[in-house]
Amino acid sequence: VLNLLVCNLTEEEHYLDGSTSTAWFLPTMFAIFVLINDENIHWFHLVIDMDKNNLILLDSNQSDFRREMRRIQVRKVALFLKEMLMDRSFYDFSTTAKPDIAGYSLIEPDRIGKQLPASNGSGIWVANWMKDYDWDDEYDQLNVRTLLRITTACRMRLAIDLVLHECNEMRDDVIKRAKKNWNAIQRHRDKIMKYIFG
């Protein structure tokens, strides 16, 4: 689900920019969103701010026990990206400065929304953050929701958004089948009501 959401958001960015490029370019204002899984039980979010040279660790369930390990995971990702971006194929000119992502400052905002304890909703939290984040906000002032209650409705809303997204090639077929199923349910309901009330 998270991979699909990332693909959809990336497609939207390309659509809004009118870009049809298949290459990865690093403009002067650029951020990389990285989803990181901690021991297969918790998702947290790393934003690599290429403009401000910051690594922003967004964690909906900060843990003193796991905090240092999550920081290490962030540094590993930064080091990997630094090594990858050393490749000349990313640059048009040999004089282009290569970003030292591994040397970026690590920022851990405290005033971000938190998931409720034992909600098992870190993936949903990360997805909502990517969808709803306003680029005019400051990372240390992300206090839109103090606690995010992960409910079936939250999960269903995300699923519906993904299914109805314009990038979903099966969207029209899904809508057609959903309408057909709804009409069948309505006819069945009408029969029951007619039987009960004559």
Side-chain angles (χ1 to χ4, degrees):
V1 170
L2 290 176
N3 287 337
L4 178 59
L5 177 65
V6 168
C7 290
N8 285 351
L9 293 175
T10 301
E11 186 67 26
E12 284 180 10
E13 286 297 316
H14 287 176
Y15 176 77
L16 292 174
D17 292 340
S19 170
T20 56
S21 64
T22 57
W24 181 25
F25 296 95
L26 299 180
T28 55
M29 294 187 67
F30 187 73
I32 303 170
F33 286 27
V34 182
L35 311 177
I36 303 176
N37 188 274
D38 184 19
E39 290 200 328
N40 237 2
I41 58 171
H42 178 68
W43 287 98
F44 62 96
H45 194 181
L46 168 63
V47 179
I48 303 171
D49 191 329
M50 305 293 286
D51 184 43
K52 297 179 181 176
N53 297 347
N54 288 327
L55 303 171
I56 300 96
L57 195 168
L58 301 173
D59 192 346
S60 63
N61 189 15
Q62 294 175 350
S63 163
D64 291 336
F65 177 67
R66 296 294 303 168
R67 176 168 287 185
E68 194 56 36
M69 284 304 299
R70 291 174 188 171
R71 288 174 178 164
I72 290 171
Q73 286 177 284
V74 165
R75 289 296 183 192
K76 284 181 177 179
V77 170
L79 189 59
F80 170 80
L81 287 173
K82 176 182 178 177
E83 184 177 352
M84 184 180 75
L85 293 174
M86 296 296 287
D87 193 297
R88 293 180 183 176
S89 63
F90 283 101
Y91 309 97
D92 289 331
F93 306 102
S94 60
T95 56
T96 303
K98 298 175 177 62
D100 181 16
I101 296 178
Y104 286 5
S105 299
L106 178 60
I107 298 175
E108 298 179 78
D110 288 326
R111 297 181 58 203
I112 57 175
K114 308 291 183 190
Q115 69 183 82
L116 289 172
S119 68
N120 295 323
S122 59
I124 302 296
W125 185 91
V126 166
N128 279 314
W129 193 94
M130 285 191 299
K131 283 175 46 187
D132 299 338
Y133 176 64
D134 184 349
W135 279 100
D136 293 329
D137 289 342
E138 291 295 329
Y139 292 112
D140 60 353
Q141 297 178 11
L142 303 179
N143 199 21
V144 179
R145 302 172 182 170
T146 305
L147 290 174
L148 178 62
R149 185 179 297 277
I150 305 300
T151 63
T152 301
C154 289
R155 292 180 168 91
M156 184 59 73
R157 179 71 261 169
L158 179 60
I160 289 172
D161 287 346
L162 291 171
V163 169
L164 296 181
H165 195 277
E166 61 188 20
C167 293
N168 180 9
E169 295 177 357
M170 298 181 66
R171 178 180 66 169
D172 293 341
D173 187 49
V174 169
I175 293 172
K176 181 179 177 182
R177 288 170 182 260
K179 286 180 179 178
K180 182 178 179 181
N181 185 58
W182 176 257
N183 290 335
I185 291 172
Q186 286 293 97
R187 286 193 298 271
H188 184 66
R189 176 184 172 276
D190 291 344
K191 286 181 181 178
I192 292 174
M193 296 300 287
K194 186 176 181 180
Y195 177 80
I196 294 174
F197 296 106

